[in-house]
Amino acid sequence: MRTNSWIPAVFNDLFDTDYMPKCNATAPAINVKESDKAYTVELAAPGMKKEDFNVHINDEGNLVVKLESKQEHKEEDKNTRYLRREFSYSKYEQTLILPDDVKKDGISAKVENGVLTVELPKMVEEKVKVSRQIDIA
């Protein structure tokens, strides 16, 4: 089998330019679980801290999860100049429509080991007994 090593280089030169930069954007993975008492939303964001997240209920009653992180790696040396500097900026926003049975004032969130966990407790329905004695007239 013959390999053409020039093909990847041609595509890199063609597509990796200032006019068409590489796109490495990925969205965090989200898991949604349901139990009898609550829904649980898990969002994987390795390396992110509690301060990088914003979780709130919007005017329409939907859950909004925002993630924003800026990192810049600098090494200052007065005798050299930069040929390459690396920095990263991550921004992500997801709106989740909440089911009607979510108790919105009981929602809680925590970040642990790079995973944001949002607990959405369900409203407890009080079951009314429908059995009763009917008087005969």
Side-chain angles (χ1 to χ4, degrees):
M1 185 170 163
R2 190 172 171 204
T3 306
N4 289 326
S5 62
W6 62 271
I7 290 177
V10 169
F11 284 108
N12 286 342
D13 292 342
L14 179 64
F15 293 113
D16 188 16
T17 66
D18 290 337
Y19 300 107
M20 291 184 82
K22 288 190 290 188
C23 182
N24 290 335
T26 58
I30 292 182
N31 295 330
V32 180
K33 300 186 292 186
E34 180 182 7
S35 69
D36 293 338
K37 297 181 180 183
Y39 299 96
T40 303
V41 177
E42 299 171 328
L43 185 135
M48 299 301 162
K49 302 176 296 248
K50 176 177 135 177
E51 297 80 27
D52 298 330
F53 292 96
N54 179 335
V55 180
H56 68 276
I57 303 289
N58 66 10
D59 293 337
E60 289 84 34
N62 300 323
L63 180 71
V64 179
V65 178
K66 293 182 181 181
L67 166 65
E68 186 170 6
S69 175
K70 299 176 187 177
Q71 295 178 355
E72 189 168 347
H73 304 285
K74 292 183 181 180
E75 292 182 20
E76 297 294 332
D77 185 356
K78 295 178 182 178
N79 297 327
T80 61
R81 62 186 170 92
Y82 284 102
L83 297 177
R84 178 179 176 171
R85 276 179 95 168
E86 294 186 6
F87 63 93
S88 68
Y89 176 77
S90 300
K91 186 173 184 179
Y92 171 79
E93 182 175 336
Q94 178 74 45
T95 301
L96 302 170
I97 298 171
L98 296 177
D100 293 334
D101 63 342
V102 170
K103 186 178 178 184
K104 293 181 182 172
D105 59 349
I107 296 173
S108 63
K110 67 179 180 178
V111 176
E112 190 174 308
N113 297 326
V115 177
L116 170 71
T117 303
V118 182
E119 290 290 330
L120 307 165
K122 291 183 178 181
M123 286 187 258
V124 179
E125 294 181 18
E126 293 183 22
K127 295 186 178 181
V128 180
K129 294 181 180 179
V130 292
S131 64
R132 65 182 178 98
Q133 180 64 38
I134 299 173
D135 293 330
I136 301 174

